[in-house]
Each structure stands twice: as C-alpha cells, then as structure tokens.
C-alpha cells in the first residue's frame, strides 16, 4: 500500500494548502490511504467539525490530534461518533473520543492508525509506550490489519526515536508531529518500521513554528504576553511522510519525505 501522512495543518494557510493539494497528491502518488494531523487547523488551536469535514472531503481518511485536540469545545459534539477523528490514546480513561481505530482501505485492506502523545516537555499523560503496546498485543500487523501508522505527537526527539525503536517490526510507520519542523532522518529501522522524527507542519514557514513572528520574539525578549498568537498567513509549504508497505507483512519497503511549497527545498516522491 502507499500511504501519506501530512504533518500538523497550521491555521487557514496550512489547512487550505493541504485541502487544495490532496486530490492531486492522491492521484500522483497513487495513494491508498491518507492521514493528516489536524490539531492546529483552527487558528493554531484545535480542530472544528467543519474543518474536519472539509479536510476529509479533500481526501484525508483520518485526522489525528495532540495537545490541542480539545481546544475547540465544539469538537466534543462529534469526536465520539466519528472514528475518523482521533485524539492521543494516552489521555486519562474516560476522555471523549478514541486513540486508535481500524479503517477500510482499497482492495479489502485494513489500516490501523494510532495517535499518542509524548510526556517530555508536555502535559502529564498516561504512558504512551504502554498504551500502544497494549493495542498491539490485541491486533497483530499482517494478521488483523495490513498496515499500522503511529502518529507520536511530542516535543523531544529522544522520546520519539525511542518510540520508533520500541515499535520497530510491529508497525508500518512511526512518525512524529508537534515540533512543526521536518526532520531529515527518514529511514527504515532494523525490524522494518519506517520512521521520521517529525513530519513538519503544513503551514507558512515564514513564521515561528507557524505563528506570526512578532509575538513569539517579543515573548522571548520580555517574558510577557502582549498579544495572542496568530497563525502566519503567507503561502504554506506542505510537509509529510510517504511510505510504501508490503501488503503481506505490513512492514515498510520505502519512506520518503514530502515537501511542497515556496519555503523549503522541494521533495516530491516519484511513483
Ligand atoms: Fe501540538
């Protein structure tokens, strides 16, 4: 299967660019399944049901979340009913929504997506390693599902890399989100799991991780909040991770970054 993961859609610039590009990308990369992280899609803070609808209509199969998942309270109206919207699995028991689900892909294939959040420089959460391990003990790749993608939303590269190796051989892809900067370490680990520490955001890179520059710089200089953060609105660059998996084992045969837009060096996989 060919799968594409797009990093955090940042505000209007990011979500519009992704929605515009997805139909063409689905065709050009012959994609069977698309996952996007949408936790910053609503002005940088959360996701609304309307934005989720537009993103799914444009060609996303699943939208994952992170620390901003519940910023827009309106999402609570749909997150229990709609399994295409995920939140990190390691929220406390009883949190609305779900942290993983199994989806139908073309030709009778099944894809599992798991969303989890790191705990280093992040809010206190249940252990993401144990939470994912418990799911994988129930659903084995190559038996119950044909591919498994893990979006690990975290700040620390060490924690994300540890997760990659912890899950190596048991999932198709471990990809990081949240830092909003793509890392140059796409690789297939020893056990066959594709890995990238961070997919990077879909957003305006003429910014401080997607936000207009002035307020973040001022906060570093003065330690005071003067204004609210607002997303940068220039043309967005789309960043993500492309993989091809072996349908029999679910393991990765290929991983490449996707970077498309005005700011970063372009890289579009050739299929
Ligand atoms: Fe985040």
């Amino acid at each position: 299967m060919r799968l594409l993961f797009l990093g955090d859609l940042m505000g209007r610039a990011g979500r519009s660019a992704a929605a515009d590009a997805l139909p063409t990308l689905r065709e050009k990369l012959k994609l069977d399944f698309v996952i996007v992280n949408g936790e910053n899609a609503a002005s940088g803070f959360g996701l609304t049901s309307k934005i989720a609808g537009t993103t799914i209509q444009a060609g996303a199969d699943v939208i994952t979340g992170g620390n901003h998942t519940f910023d827009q309270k309106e999402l609570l109206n749909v997150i229990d009913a709609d399994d295409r919207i995920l939140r990190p699995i390691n929220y406390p028991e009883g949190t609305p929504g779900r942290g993983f689900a199994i989806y139908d892909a073309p030709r009778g294939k099944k894809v599992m997506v798991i969303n989890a959040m790191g705990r280093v420089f992040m809010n206190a959460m249940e252990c993401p390693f144990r939470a994912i391990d418990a799911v994988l003990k129930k659903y084995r790749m190559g038996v119950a599902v044909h591919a498994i993608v893990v979006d690990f939303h975290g700040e620390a590269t060490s924690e994300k890399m540890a997760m990659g190796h912890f899950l190596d051989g048991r999932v198709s892809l471990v990809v990081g989100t949240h830092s909003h900067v793509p890392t140059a370490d796409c690789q297939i680990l020893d056990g066959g799991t594709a890995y990238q520490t961070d997919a990077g955001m879909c957003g305006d890179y003429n910014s401080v991780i997607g936000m207009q520059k002035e307020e973040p710089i001022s906060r570093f200089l003065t330690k005071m909040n003067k204004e609210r953060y607002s997303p940068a609105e220039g043309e967005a660059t789309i960043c993500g991770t492309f993989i091809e998996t072996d349908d029999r084992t679910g393991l990765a045969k290929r991983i490449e970054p996707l970077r498309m837009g005005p700011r970063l060096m372009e890289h579009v996989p050739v299929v």
Side-chain angles (χ1 to χ4, degrees):
M1 262 185 288
R2 293 186 193 84
L3 298 93
L4 178 68
F5 182 93
L6 291 183
D8 318 38
L9 306 183
M10 184 64 199
R12 181 183 299 277
R15 68 178 194 252
S16 306
D20 289 347
L22 270 177
T24 317
L25 282 173
R26 279 203 85 116
E27 209 167 298
K28 201 168 160 186
L29 301 179
K30 300 189 177 76
L31 297 173
D32 296 301
F33 205 80
V34 175
I35 304 149
V36 309
N37 183 294
E39 70 132 17
N40 303 118
S43 298
F45 299 96
L47 175 73
T48 63
S49 53
K50 192 174 165 203
I51 295 171
T54 314
T55 308
I56 287 165
Q57 199 151 21
D61 294 291
V62 180
I63 304 176
T64 52
N67 52 311
H68 289 297
T69 288
F70 295 109
D71 285 1
Q72 305 289 330
K73 300 298 166 234
E74 177 263 356
L75 196 72
L76 290 171
N77 299 329
V78 296
I79 199 164
D80 275 327
D82 194 341
D83 73 355
R84 295 169 301 180
I85 303 170
L86 296 179
R87 48 91 174 148
I89 192 170
N90 50 330
Y91 268 99
E93 213 180 308
T95 301
R98 56 185 71 65
F100 77 99
I102 298 172
Y103 306 91
D104 289 323
R107 299 182 301 282
K109 303 286 184 252
K110 299 225 176 278
V111 176
M112 179 189 276
V113 181
I114 308 174
N115 187 195
M117 200 160 104
R119 299 194 292 183
V120 179
F121 309 127
M122 307 283 284
N123 289 336
M125 301 285 280
E126 307 292 344
C127 175
F129 292 85
R130 288 181 176 82
I132 297 176
D133 196 46
V135 173
L136 296 179
K137 280 192 173 121
K138 279 193 222 155
Y139 303 93
R140 288 223 356 251
M141 194 166 68
V143 181
V145 289
H146 301 93
I148 302 176
V149 173
V150 175
D151 169 1
F152 190 36
H153 195 78
E155 190 74 53
T157 50
S158 57
E159 193 180 20
K160 295 189 213 183
M161 211 173 262
M163 182 63 85
H165 290 294
F166 179 65
L167 300 179
D168 186 18
R170 297 193 283 165
V171 306
S172 314
L173 170 68
V174 175
V175 60
T177 53
H178 180 72
S179 83
H180 290 195
V181 177
T183 56
D185 61 342
C186 276
Q187 59 186 298
I188 295 177
L189 304 177
D190 286 350
T193 293
Y195 174 80
Q196 186 178 12
T197 299
D198 205 294
M201 68 170 170
C202 296
D204 178 4
Y205 278 77
N206 184 15
S207 66
V208 175
I209 62 168
M211 293 295 181
Q212 289 180 25
K213 293 171 269 189
E214 294 71 18
E215 178 63 17
I217 293 169
S218 158
R219 287 193 195 183
F220 281 114
L221 284 169
T222 67
K223 297 291 169 192
M224 288 188 295
N225 301 359
K226 292 207 177 88
E227 285 167 24
R228 284 165 55 100
Y229 284 139
S230 37
E233 288 168 343
E235 196 183 338
T237 295
I238 288 171
C239 284
T241 313
F242 169 82
I243 60 163
E244 275 184 29
T245 59
D246 181 322
D247 283 347
R248 200 175 46 80
T249 63
L251 296 171
K253 296 195 291 189
R254 174 182 178 189
I255 177 168
E256 279 189 49
L258 172 80
R259 296 184 301 269
M260 233 171 64
R263 293 299 284 207
L264 307 182
M265 185 185 283
E266 279 219 333
H267 183 92
V268 181
V270 177
V271 175

